[in-house]
Amino acid sequence: MHIQIPSPNAGGLSPASPYSVKSNSPLIRDRSYVELDEIKLDETGQNHQQAGHDPSKRPQSLPPRELASGRNDNSDWWLFEIIAWVISAVALGVIIIVIAVTDEKPLPQWPMNITLNSFVSFMSTLMKAALVIPVTEGISQLKWVWFKKAESLDDIQTFDEASRGTWGSLKLLFMTKRLHLAQLGAFITILTLGVDPFIQQVIEYPTRTIPSTLSNASVPLALGYSDYTFGAIMALREPTLGMKSAINNGVYDTNDRPQDDFALTPQCATGNCTWPGTYRSLAVCSKCANTTSLISKKCDDTGSFATCNYSLPNGMFFDGFYRGRLYMNASSGLPTINFNNTQSTISSINTMRGLHDAASINLFGVVSNECVLYFCVNEYRAEVSNGNFKETVAATYTGEHDPVFGENITITVPPSGKRATSQEFIVTSEAWRAIDYHFSDFWTGNVTGQTGERSSTNDVLSALYDLGEDGSGLGAQKPGGENDTIAAVAASMTKYLRLYEQTSKTGKNRSDTMAVGTAWTGETFVHVRWEWMILPVALEGLALAFLVATIIQSKMSGIALWKSSTLPMLEGKVRSLQGRFANYADRG
């Protein structure tokens, strides 16, 4: 820095006014000037200029404390810095309170569509802006404390840069000669760069499933069945058209696993639903058994060609006279061998199939099968996942014997789980008699054929044979075969039973025939990762400790509270020069 020194003849410098110095700018280099660095003030205030003096080794002196006194500004006390730290701490406290209140809660709905992220970002910006004020002012005040100890003048510039930003703080950390409180301030300044990234990592928004408050889940149940229609004469009963349609739907389903085509569609608006525990419903069940090993074969070779007849213990037979032309013989009027009088049977099906050559001339053997349809109670577990309903049978209950004419079918289910009492499911005598009568000759008949021809007693027998044959044209059964067809009939009838209660109670309370579950919906919620708050909280603590330590050290050093002001240095130098200029004027 240069200050212009006027010549003795120059006007404007008067002994009567020693502090009124009028001169041209020191930047005008054609005038004589004096380097401030070449001026040293002794204790009496006299100016001495030493030839050949090394400026880097000269002792330094601060302007007296009273030079800075009397200035009416906020740098004379620490109230502003304390207020700034309090504002920063309050902003951080608000962030902590808000995220604590919203933690594990749904996204908050605030006025003007203010989001949690924008609010936290604003408060973190306020926190950081207020936090740097006491830190930078503390570093600036420590600059004067350091300078009082007559260290290198270059450190003044380093301290000043440190109070202005990160780069200067890095320089202060690595360029000061020994540990100093100002290094803590520089360290805090550098760490403030991590506040924003850390705050952004505090909040995340995962998704969880919660019970829907708008809808629930339900699936229909059948607690009993009593429907029928009148037959051709007064004593006869027939199933309703709906039941007949259900039976036919099962018979004529051509899929590989037709029983899977009759699943119910639950009420589940969200696509994800569960049912607590299990629920029970009246149903129609089926079971089948292979009876080929029980066939008796009797052959007669007294005629022009030998014939063999095949029979079962229950009276079912297969006439070998037709040889390969008889494809299947079926009956629904005979008792079963394996399932006789062991359940509430409403239909039995016995079939015998002939194994023949492609020309339908030779008969190589016979296979047989039997199935039953019966009323039962199924206990289900169910769930809907991503729109797919899965209902599995956990247990099955049935009557102990074939139904008795004129009596209801009653199936009693013992208590289990949360149900403390037994539960009865009733099929009225008229309802089961109507279905039993319908099945009395439903499966009875045969399928015959030869090359290019085939005939059957009715379409039911044709479907039963085709859907149970392996496709080779030789009469062999495919895996599952007619068992799947009978299971499909049972599943279709069960679906009708469970829907019947709902359609028959239109406009009435149907809650007793619905299994009520929970509909789950996705919810985005706030999750706070508290470990990311360590840095902001630590910075607040470090800043407070730094401010308190700076106040104490500044008080103990006796240095005036100049902080970031540049006037103290200039004030002391300029007053000394003004006195020197006055001496020049007196000698002139």
Side-chain angles (χ1 to χ4, degrees), residues 502-560:
Q502 313 307 309
T503 57
S504 64
K505 292 186 176 181
T506 303
K508 301 178 182 179
N509 181 18
R510 298 180 296 172
S511 60
D512 57 336
T513 58
M514 300 290 287
V516 179
T518 303
W520 299 90
T521 185
E523 177 189 66
T524 302
F525 67 100
V526 178
H527 175 67
V528 178
R529 298 185 289 182
W530 291 102
E531 63 272 16
W532 291 98
M533 288 299 296
I534 294 175
L535 177 64
V537 172
L539 281 178
E540 286 293 342
L542 289 174
L544 177 61
F546 174 73
L547 178 60
V548 172
T550 300
I551 294 174
I552 295 173
Q553 186 166 338
S554 177
K555 182 71 174 178
M556 294 176 62
S557 68
I559 297 295

Side-chain angles (χ1 to χ4, degrees), residues 19-312:
Y19 302 108
S20 176
V21 179
K22 296 182 180 180
S23 64
N24 294 327
S25 170
L27 297 179
I28 302 176
R29 302 308 176 109
D30 57 352
R31 302 291 183 95
S32 59
Y33 61 89
V34 175
E35 291 282 354
L36 282 179
D37 290 343
E38 297 173 359
I39 300 174
K40 177 179 179 296
L41 299 178
D42 59 17
E43 294 180 355
T44 62
Q46 299 299 319
N47 299 316
H48 302 277
Q49 186 171 358
Q50 301 175 2
H53 173 67
D54 185 358
S56 64
K57 297 182 179 179
R58 69 185 184 279
Q60 307 296 325
S61 61
L62 286 172
R65 182 182 182 93
E66 60 271 12
L67 291 176
S69 63
R71 296 199 316 271
N72 186 20
D73 57 39
N74 290 332
S75 64
D76 290 338
W77 48 329
W78 293 95
L79 181 60
F80 180 71
E81 288 76 11
I82 294 173
I83 292 175
W85 183 88
V86 170
I87 292 174
S88 178
V90 168
L92 179 60
V94 169
I95 292 175
I96 294 175
I97 292 172
V98 169
I99 62 177
V101 170
T102 57
D103 189 19
E104 304 302 321
K105 302 282 195 316
L107 292 180
Q109 302 295 324
W110 289 339
M112 301 176 63
N113 294 324
I114 297 174
T115 64
L116 180 61
N117 268 0
S118 61
F119 177 80
V120 170
S121 177
F122 170 77
M123 295 306 296
S124 66
T125 302
L126 176 62
M127 166 212 157
K128 189 169 68 171
L131 182 67
V132 298
I133 293 175
V135 176
T136 56
E137 290 298 310
I139 294 174
S140 297
Q141 179 62 20
L142 291 172
K143 169 180 63 178
W144 302 111
V145 176
W146 179 279
F147 187 54
K148 181 182 178 183
K149 298 177 182 179
E151 298 290 344
S152 172
L153 283 173
D154 292 339
D155 292 343
I156 297 299
Q157 179 65 22
T158 302
F159 272 76
D160 190 62
E161 291 178 356
S163 67
R164 300 176 187 274
T166 306
W167 175 241
S169 296
L170 284 171
K171 291 173 64 177
L172 179 61
L173 284 176
F174 295 105
M175 295 179 65
T176 48
K177 297 178 180 179
R178 53 187 170 83
L179 290 178
H180 193 271
L181 180 59
Q183 290 175 314
L184 175 59
F187 182 68
I188 295 173
T189 302
I190 295 170
L191 286 184
T192 55
L193 293 176
V195 170
D196 288 336
F198 270 64
I199 290 293
Q200 291 173 7
Q201 293 295 321
V202 168
I203 303 173
E204 63 177 0
Y205 302 99
T207 301
R208 63 187 174 191
T209 55
I210 61 169
S212 174
T213 58
L214 302 178
S215 63
N216 56 19
S218 62
V219 62
L221 305 175
L223 303 180
Y225 185 65
S226 59
D227 203 14
Y228 63 92
T229 189
F230 295 103
I233 60 175
M234 185 178 295
L236 297 180
R237 301 290 184 267
E238 285 280 347
T240 62
L241 288 177
M243 179 61 78
K244 290 180 179 179
S245 176
I247 294 170
N248 289 336
N249 287 341
V251 170
Y252 298 117
D253 193 312
T254 59
N255 290 331
D256 288 338
R257 283 187 54 84
Q259 60 267 42
D260 295 339
D261 294 339
F262 301 99
L264 289 167
T265 301
Q267 178 183 341
C268 179
T270 63
N272 292 282
C273 298
T274 58
W275 281 260
T278 59
Y279 54 86
R280 299 162 177 171
S281 175
L282 183 67
V284 175
C285 296
S286 69
K287 50 187 175 182
C288 299
N290 190 304
T291 57
T292 303
S293 62
L294 302 176
I295 294 176
S296 297
K297 179 181 177 181
K298 291 183 180 181
C299 297
D300 182 7
D301 55 1
T302 58
S304 57
F305 56 88
T307 59
C308 296
N309 292 324
Y310 303 84
S311 64
L312 288 167

Side-chain angles (χ1 to χ4, degrees), residues 280 379 397 411-417 419-425:
R280 299 162 177 171
E379 188 169 352
Y397 307 90
I411 302 174
T412 302
V413 179
S416 64
R419 189 180 296 275
T421 59
S422 60
Q423 187 178 12
E424 289 187 345
F425 296 80

Side-chain angles (χ1 to χ4, degrees), residues 404-555:
V404 178
F405 183 82
E407 295 182 3
N408 297 335
I409 295 175
T410 301
I411 302 174
T412 302
V413 179
S416 64
K418 296 182 179 180
R419 189 180 296 275
T421 59
S422 60
Q423 187 178 12
E424 289 187 345
F425 296 80
I426 298 175
V427 181
T428 62
S429 59
E430 289 85 357
W432 73 258
R433 280 174 50 207
I435 297 173
D436 180 77
Y437 177 75
H438 180 71
F439 278 129
S440 61
D441 61 353
F442 189 78
W443 310 104
T444 302
N446 57 58
V447 179
T448 60
Q450 58 185 349
T451 303
E453 298 179 10
R454 198 186 73 174
S455 63
S456 61
T457 304
N458 53 48
D459 289 340
V460 173
L461 272 296
S462 181
L464 191 63
Y465 178 78
D466 288 343
L467 296 175
E469 205 258 344
D470 66 357
S472 65
L474 304 178
Q477 285 183 301
K478 70 179 180 181
E482 64 192 46
N483 297 358
D484 286 343
T485 299
I486 303 304
V489 173
S492 182
M493 293 176 69
T494 299
K495 181 177 181 180
Y496 176 78
L497 290 175
R498 294 173 67 176
L499 293 177
Y500 163 76
E501 291 284 352
Q502 313 307 309
T503 57
S504 64
K505 292 186 176 181
T506 303
K508 301 178 182 179
N509 181 18
R510 298 180 296 172
S511 60
D512 57 336
T513 58
M514 300 290 287
V516 179
T518 303
W520 299 90
T521 185
E523 177 189 66
T524 302
F525 67 100
V526 178
H527 175 67
V528 178
R529 298 185 289 182
W530 291 102
E531 63 272 16
W532 291 98
M533 288 299 296
I534 294 175
L535 177 64
V537 172
L539 281 178
E540 286 293 342
L542 289 174
L544 177 61
F546 174 73
L547 178 60
V548 172
T550 300
I551 294 174
I552 295 173
Q553 186 166 338
S554 177
K555 182 71 174 178

